[in-house]
Amino acid sequence: MKPDCVRKNLQGEVLARIQQAGFTVVGMKQINMTKAMAEGFYAVHKGRPFFDGLVEFMTSGACVPVALEKDNAVADYRTLIGATDPKDAAPGTIRKDFADNKGENIVHGSDSAENGIIEVSYFFAQTELL
Ligand code: IDP
Ligand code: MG
């Protein structure tokens, strides 16, 4: 959950939707990312025109990283959150209902199971996971 989610006090509502969709919460915490952490997390987007704004946004307040588990997790989570830009997101999705714009879009989502494992290990030690 991104800083806009935390600022809007939507952590509970967003997490409830995720759990109702059948995901198990394997790990969860609240953190303030440093610039270096945000740059590293989004390194794949380095050089894109939105990169600096994205890092600024992701360090503008607390984030709530959540490690999730489910069969078909990546595809099902993408369906649940909707398109990157809330204007393009399907009705009833988390981003359609809560996000302001393409940059401030409430939640992150891993794009593959492989990257999901890397991203979970970016935020969580083994002792912090079920
Ligand atoms: P995703 O979060 O749906 O996987 P990505 O394309 O991987 O979308 O982009 C990562 C994040 O970078 C987005 O969630 C959004 O916060 C930001 N972002 C992506 N494209 C744009 C853009 O065109 N303008 C502003 N921010 C963007
Ligand atoms: Mg992505």
Side-chain angles (χ1 to χ4, degrees):
M1 302 188 218
K2 296 182 176 183
D4 55 338
C5 183
V6 175
R7 271 195 287 275
K8 291 176 170 180
N9 271 318
L10 290 170
Q11 305 97 312
E13 237 175 299
V14 168
L15 190 65
R17 289 195 187 199
I18 292 168
Q19 290 177 299
Q20 278 155 19
F23 290 84
T24 300
V25 176
V26 175
M28 182 161 62
K29 61 169 70 169
Q30 180 164 289
I31 61 162
N32 292 297
M33 277 205 279
T34 62
K35 190 163 181 264
M37 279 177 83
E39 285 173 347
F41 187 70
Y42 283 114
V44 66
H45 295 300
K46 202 169 166 62
R48 306 277 286 276
F50 60 83
F51 182 76
D52 289 349
L54 177 59
V55 169
E56 192 175 326
F57 166 56
M58 292 302 291
T59 56
S60 69
C63 292
V64 177
V66 184
L68 298 169
E69 193 170 80
K70 188 185 181 298
D71 288 341
N72 201 35
V74 171
D76 287 357
Y77 182 80
R78 286 273 154 191
T79 301
L80 182 68
I81 67 175
T84 307
D85 189 334
K87 287 203 294 283
D88 304 325
T93 59
I94 288 170
R95 283 168 165 170
K96 178 58 125 194
D97 289 349
F98 299 129
D100 290 336
N101 56 63
K102 193 175 183 181
E104 308 203 355
N105 57 5
I106 302 288
V107 285
H108 173 77
S110 301
D111 59 14
S112 65
E114 222 182 344
N115 282 336
I117 289 165
I118 293 168
E119 291 178 349
V120 165
S121 64
Y122 202 82
F123 291 112
F124 296 97
Q126 275 305 319
T127 50
E128 297 173 317
L129 297 167
L130 288 184

